[in-house]
Amino acid sequence: MSPLDRKLLRDLWRIKGQATAIGAVIAVGVLLLVMMSGLITSLDETRRAYYERYRLADIFAPVKRAPQHLLAELAAIPGVNTVEGRITGHALINLPGLDIPLRAQAVSTPDFHTPRLNDFYLSAGRAPSRERLDEVMLLKGFAEAHGLQPGAVLDVTMNGARHTLRIVGLAQAPEFLYTTAPGELMSDDARYAVIWMNTQSLAAAYDLDGAFNEALLSIGRDSQPQEILNAVDRLLDPYGGFGAYGLEDHTSNRFISEEIAGLRATGSAVPPIFLAVAAFLLYIVVSRMVEAERGQIGLIKAFGYTNLETGLHYFKLILAIAAGGAIVGCLLGILAGRALVDVYLLYFKFPFLIFQLEPGSFITGFTVSVGAASAGGLLVLRRVFRLTPASAMQPPAPPHYKQLGKMARSIQSALDQPSRMVVRRLTRQPGRMAGAIAGIAAGMGLSVAMVGIMSGFNEAIDLTFNVVDQSDLSVTFNEPLSTTSLGNLRNIPGVMDAQSIRTVSAVLRYGRNRHLGAISGLPPNSRLYRAVDRSMGTIHLPTGGIILAEPLARILNARVGDVLTIAVRESRRPTLEVPVAGIAQTLLGAPAYMDLDSLNRALGEPNRMSGAYLRIDSAQQSTVYRTLKDMPTVAGVSLKRDARNALQEQMDMGAGAMRYIMLAVAGIITFGIVYNAARIAYAERARDLASLSVIGFTRSEVAFVLLGELAVVTLVALPAGSVLGYYLSFAVAAGFSTDLYQIPAQVPAAGYGAAALAVLAAASLSGWLVKRDIDGSDIVSALKARE
C-alpha cells in the first residue's frame, strides 16, 4: 500500500462521523432509486405474467343482448385470435346484520370448458358444477372481508329476483385486481363483490338464453386495435352495443397503470434531490479539508508527488465515501423494494409475486451518486493543482479583523468575549457561513415539502368528502328513473334532503386526445354534491356547455371555448358536440359536469336521473337503510364514510404510503446536514478551542464559541429553508398526484413549525455530540497541530 493510500485510510477514520453522515445521504438517494425501480419492475412484470397466464382479453365489448351466432362473426374480424361470449350483470348481496345491501357483479363461466379468455385463479374450494345451478364462486377479497368460506350460503338479488346461492369456491382474476362499484373510484373489498356462476344459471337469471351481453376478444400483436374496435362496434350496434374498449381503458388495469405511473414519477423526481444535497455536502467537506491540509499538500508535492497523484488522493476520498454510500443504498434498496412489493401484493390482490430487480437501477444509482459527488469534488481539486509546495506550506493569510463593518463592531462592543468570537467568525468568513446555511436550509426544505405532502393528502380527503360532497350517502338505480322519483326519496322517514344526478358513460375526444369516463348531470343550485372552482365556490353549470375537472382538461389538452366530441355509450348512444364552459377543481378522479336538463335533452330522455345524493338524520339511519334495501329500483347504496375510509386506506397503502418513507428520509438527511456542519466547524477550530481551554476558558464557554456559531447558522437557515420547502412542495405534490387523485401542495403554518422543530432537534443532538467530543478532546495533541 502506498503512503498516500495509508493516509487516505487515516483521513477516512478521522472524519468517520462526517463520512458516515454524507454516505447516509447518498445511500438514501440510491435506496429510493433502487427501491422504486425494483418496485415498478416487479409490479409491471407480475401484472404481465398474471395477464398472460390467465389470458386476459385485449378488447371488452359490452352489449345489451346479442345472439350466440354473432361470436363467429366477431372471430372472423381480421386480427382477432380468440373470442369468448359471456353474461354479466349487477347483483345485490344481503348479509345478516347489515342494513345496506352490498353491490356485486355476476360473471358467467363456460358450462363445458375452462374460459378461453379471462380465466380465474381458484384459491380455495372448487368451481361451480354444471349440474348445480345454485353454486357460485366468490371473490376472495370480499369473502375474507366478511369471513365467508366455501359452504356458506348467500342471499343474492339478481334482476329483481332473490336467489339463495351456495359458495363452493373462492377465486381471484386478473380483471378484478382493483374492484370498484359502478360510479365509484375507491376499491373496498368489504363493499363490492364478484360472483362467478355457470352460464345456464346466469342466462336464466337475466333472461339471456342463447345470448350474451359481453364479448371478450384477444388480438394479434401486429393487428390494428382501433380498426378492430370499429369493426366490433359495427357488428354489435344493431344489438345495443355500448361501445367496445381496449385493455388500456379497463377500470382495473387503468388504476394499476396509474399507480405504476405515480411510482415512476416519484422515483424519477425525488432521488436526484437527495443526491444533489449529498454532492453539495461532499464539496463543503473536501474543500475545507483541502484548506486545512495546505501544509500536508505542500509536503506531499515537495517529496516528489505530482499534481495528478496529489489530486487523485483527495479524489479517492470522495469516491470512497460516495461508493460506500451507493453500495449500502443498493443493498437497502433491495430490502425495501422487496418489503413494499409484498404490500402491493395484498393491495392489488395478485395471487403470486414475481420480484424482479432492474439491473440498470444499480448501475444508474451507483453512477449518478458517484458522478454527482465527483462533480463537486472536481471543483475542489482545482485548488490542489494550483498550490505550489512553497505556497502550500505557508499558513493562509490571517483574516483582517478591521474590515468588520460599523454595525458589527457596535454589536460586538455589547457582547461578552465568547459571543464576540462567534460574531467575528460569522462576519469574517461569510462564504463558509453561507454554505452551511444553504446546506441546513436544503435539509429543512425537504422536511417542509414532506410535511406539506402529509397535509396535502389530508386536505385532499377533507375537501372531497366535506366540501365537494356534503351528502351522507348516494343511491344508484337499476335504470334511469323519472326525476319525480326524487320526491319518493324525500318522503322516506329520516331523509332530510335529496339531490338528483345522472351519470352516463362516454368517450370524450378533443383532437387526438381521448378519455373514457363519465359525464355527471347535476341540477341547478346543487347542494349535496357540486362542482367547485379553485376557491371551493360552487360553479353554476351553464346550459349547453360542459365543465371539465382540471385533470381531465390536462388529459384532453382542452381549454375553455374548445369544442369536445362526446360519444355517449348509453341509451341511444348519441354523439354530441359540446363546448368547454369552464374548469372545475377536483382532488379525486377526472369528472366532467353538465347541467342535468341539458344532458337529458341531449340524450333525448328528459326528466331522468340515474341516482341521488341523500342527507339523513343519523338517529333514523337504520330506517332509511331498510327502506332503500326494500326498493326494487335501487341497484346500490354507498355510504360516504365508507368511501372516505376506503380512500384513506388506499392512500396509506398505495403510492401514498411513500410519503411516510420520504418524511423519515427527510429527517435523516436533515440530521446528516446539520451534523456535518457542526463536525466541519469543529474540525476547523480544534486548535483554537484547545487554546481557549489552556488560557482559562471553561468547557461550557469553549463549547459556546463553537455551538453558538451553529445556533446562529441554524436560526438563519430556518426562513430560507421555509421558502425553499414551499416551492419544493409543488414539485413533490406533482410527483405524487395521479389521474385517480390529486394532491394539493399545501403547507400549513404548523408544517413550517414542525419542520423547524425537526431542524432544531437535529441541531441540538448534533451540538450535544460535538460538545461531547470537545469535552473529551486531547488539548496537547490539538496544540501540537502546526498553524
Side-chain angles (χ1 to χ4, degrees):
M1 183 179 294
S2 68
L4 287 183
D5 289 338
R6 287 196 296 270
K7 178 181 181 299
L8 172 64
L9 296 177
R10 289 196 299 270
D11 288 341
L12 285 173
W13 178 253
R14 179 167 53 86
I15 63 167
K16 56 183 178 295
Q18 297 160 253
T20 301
I22 297 173
V25 176
I26 294 175
V28 165
V30 177
L31 179 152
L32 291 175
L33 188 65
V34 172
M35 178 187 69
M36 300 298 284
S37 177
L39 185 59
I40 293 168
T41 302
S42 299
L43 285 177
D44 225 357
E45 183 62 21
T46 300
R47 178 179 62 168
R48 183 199 61 77
Y50 194 22
Y51 285 3
E52 286 185 359
R53 293 181 190 180
Y54 294 90
R55 303 176 296 281
L56 184 63
D58 299 309
I59 292 177
F60 299 76
V63 62
K64 188 172 183 178
R65 180 189 178 98
Q68 288 288 339
H69 68 78
L70 199 64
L71 295 174
E73 297 183 43
L74 292 172
I77 297 175
V80 174
N81 290 338
T82 309
V83 174
E84 180 96 285
R86 69 178 184 180
I87 298 172
T88 66
H90 299 302
L92 294 176
I93 297 177
N94 303 292
L95 292 180
L98 293 180
D99 293 329
I100 296 179
L102 302 175
R103 286 192 277 183
Q105 179 178 352
V107 180
S108 68
T109 60
D111 289 337
F112 300 101
H113 59 83
T114 59
R116 288 186 288 266
L117 294 175
N118 289 30
D119 199 358
F120 52 83
Y121 170 80
L122 189 63
S123 59
R126 59 176 175 84
S129 170
R130 183 171 62 89
E131 290 77 18
R132 298 297 300 272
L133 300 183
D134 64 339
E135 293 185 348
V136 298
M137 287 188 306
L138 191 62
L139 187 66
K140 179 185 176 183
F142 180 86
E144 291 180 343
H146 294 282
L148 300 174
Q149 296 292 335
V153 175
L154 283 182
D155 181 10
V156 180
T157 301
M158 294 186 291
N159 200 23
R162 285 200 168 186
H163 303 266
T164 300
L165 305 175
R166 184 173 299 277
I167 303 172
V168 296
L170 304 181
Q172 296 171 263
E175 62 178 314
F176 299 117
L177 286 174
Y178 187 94
T179 55
T180 58
E184 297 189 13
L185 287 175
M186 295 299 104
S187 175
D188 188 349
D189 290 337
R191 296 191 300 125
Y192 191 68
V194 178
I195 300 171
W196 284 270
M197 300 178 64
N198 60 57
T199 301
Q200 184 179 356
S201 301
L202 278 190
Y206 292 98
D207 192 22
L208 287 170
D209 290 327
F212 64 91
N213 63 5
E214 186 177 31
L216 307 174
L217 297 85
S218 67
I219 62 177
R221 293 184 178 179
D222 299 328
S223 59
Q224 299 296 324
Q226 190 57 50
E227 295 181 3
I228 297 176
L229 288 171
N230 295 336
V232 171
D233 285 340
R234 285 193 297 270
L235 286 174
L236 295 182
D237 273 349
Y239 302 96
F242 296 110
Y245 58 93
L247 179 59
E248 67 277 4
D249 288 324
H250 188 271
T251 303
S252 176
N253 184 68
R254 281 178 61 185
F255 278 93
I256 298 174
S257 298
E258 282 296 319
E259 192 76 13
I260 294 176
L263 291 172
R264 186 173 284 113
T266 303
S268 61
V270 178
I273 297 175
F274 299 143
L275 296 177
V277 172
F280 177 71
L281 286 176
L282 265 179
Y283 169 76
I284 294 177
V285 170
V286 178
S287 63
R288 295 190 177 183
M289 179 180 292
V290 168
E291 188 66 28
E293 295 186 356
R294 287 169 55 94
Q296 296 183 28
I297 295 173
L299 284 173
I300 291 173
K301 291 186 175 182
F303 276 105
Y305 288 96
T306 64
N307 285 333
L308 180 61
E309 291 172 326
T310 307
L312 187 60
H313 163 70
Y314 288 96
F315 191 67
K316 286 181 180 179
L317 178 70
I318 297 172
L319 292 180
I321 297 175
I327 292 173
V328 173
C330 288
L331 297 176
L332 294 178
I334 295 173
L335 298 176
R338 185 64 179 82
L340 277 180
V341 164
D342 288 337
V343 173
Y344 275 91
L345 184 65
L346 298 175
Y347 178 60
F348 279 128
K349 312 302 183 296
F350 288 107
F352 59 85
L353 171 67
I354 298 178
F355 181 67
Q356 182 171 325
L357 295 170
E358 178 59 45
S361 64
F362 295 98
I363 299 174
T364 301
F366 195 88
T367 304
V368 171
S369 60
V370 173
S374 301
L378 290 175
L379 297 176
V380 179
L381 296 183
R382 292 187 305 170
R383 302 181 187 178
V384 178
F385 283 101
R386 288 200 303 263
L387 287 174
T388 63
S391 61
M393 294 176 68
Q394 295 177 357
H400 202 323
Y401 296 102
K402 291 186 178 181
Q403 289 182 347
L404 297 178
K406 182 177 180 181
M407 180 179 296
R409 289 196 298 271
S410 63
I411 293 175
Q412 289 195 75
S413 62
L415 301 176
D416 57 15
Q417 194 172 18
S419 300
R420 289 199 297 271
M421 293 180 183
V422 173
V423 173
R424 282 199 299 270
R425 170 78 171 180
L426 295 171
T427 54
R428 77 191 191 196
Q429 293 180 330
R432 293 187 179 183
M433 297 303 106
I437 291 171
I440 296 176
M444 180 174 176
L446 290 175
S447 298
V448 168
M450 292 305 112
V451 171
I453 288 300
M454 300 288 287
S455 175
F457 273 83
N458 295 333
E459 183 72 10
I461 295 175
D462 182 66
L463 290 178
T464 298
F465 292 102
N466 290 335
V467 177
V468 175
D469 184 358
Q470 300 185 24
S471 68
D472 295 316
L473 59 88
S474 60
V475 179
T476 305
F477 302 127
N478 290 314
E479 58 184 20
L481 303 179
S482 171
T483 51
T484 58
S485 301
L486 194 65
N488 297 331
L489 295 176
R490 288 197 175 106
N491 291 331
I492 297 175
V495 173
M496 303 169 63
D497 197 2
Q499 173 189 312
S500 58
I501 185 175
R502 183 166 190 185
T503 303
V504 296
S505 176
V507 178
L508 292 82
R509 289 188 176 91
Y510 179 69
R512 295 184 177 181
N513 303 311
R514 65 181 294 276
H515 176 72
L516 174 59
I519 301 175
S520 298
L522 302 178
N525 303 318
S526 300
R527 300 175 304 278
L528 301 184
Y529 185 85
R530 58 202 179 104
V532 298
D533 54 24
R534 283 184 173 270
S535 61
M536 294 298 121
T538 301
I539 296 178
H540 298 284
L541 303 179
T543 58
I546 190 170
I547 303 295
L548 301 181
E550 283 188 4
L552 181 55
R554 288 195 299 268
I555 293 172
L556 298 175
N557 194 23
R559 295 175 293 182
V560 175
D562 294 334
V563 178
L564 304 184
T565 300
I566 302 175
V568 179
R569 295 158 53 90
E570 298 180 12
S571 186
R572 301 176 184 179
R573 300 185 59 197
T575 299
L576 313 175
E577 300 288 333
V578 184
V580 178
I583 305 297
Q585 176 71 18
T586 181
L587 300 176
L588 184 63
Y593 306 100
M594 287 184 66
D595 174 70
L596 179 59
D597 293 335
S598 299
L599 178 60
N600 282 329
R601 281 195 302 271
L603 297 177
E605 298 176 349
N607 302 320
R608 288 289 184 269
M609 65 179 190
S610 60
Y613 286 92
L614 306 181
R615 187 161 60 87
I616 64 175
D617 183 356
S618 59
Q620 302 184 62
Q621 60 182 6
S622 297
T623 301
V624 175
Y625 297 160
R626 287 193 297 269
T627 303
L628 294 174
K629 185 176 182 178
D630 293 334
M631 294 177 67
T633 57
V634 173
V637 178
S638 297
L639 301 182
K640 185 175 74 172
R641 67 168 183 265
D642 291 340
R644 178 174 184 144
N645 293 337
L647 177 59
Q648 183 70 63
E649 182 180 358
Q650 179 163 323
M651 287 187 169
D652 289 342
M653 290 186 63
M658 289 299 299
R659 69 191 191 271
Y660 297 109
I661 298 175
M662 300 296 185
L663 182 63
V665 165
I668 294 172
I669 288 181
T670 300
F671 172 75
I673 293 173
V674 177
Y675 179 72
N676 262 286
R679 292 295 308 180
I680 291 170
Y682 175 58
E684 290 179 339
R685 307 191 66 185
R687 189 175 191 281
D688 294 340
L689 298 176
S691 301
L692 294 178
S693 298
V694 170
I695 63 177
F697 279 72
T698 64
R699 289 183 175 180
S700 298
E701 291 173 329
V702 172
F704 176 81
V705 171
L706 179 65
L707 300 182
E709 172 190 328
L710 176 63
V712 173
V713 168
T714 301
L715 292 176
V716 173
L718 294 182
S722 299
V723 175
L724 177 62
Y726 172 78
Y727 289 103
L728 186 60
S729 64
F730 287 94
V732 179
F736 275 102
S737 298
T738 67
D739 285 348
L740 173 60
Y741 50 77
Q742 293 76 48
I743 305 304
Q746 180 166 345
V747 184
Y752 293 104
L757 288 176
V759 173
L760 293 175
S764 300
L765 179 58
S766 301
W768 176 77
L769 293 174
V770 172
K771 184 179 184 302
R772 189 182 61 176
D773 292 341
I774 294 174
D775 294 342
S777 63
D778 187 350
I779 298 177
V780 176
S781 298
L783 290 175
K784 286 182 179 179
R786 183 174 178 270
E787 186 66 60

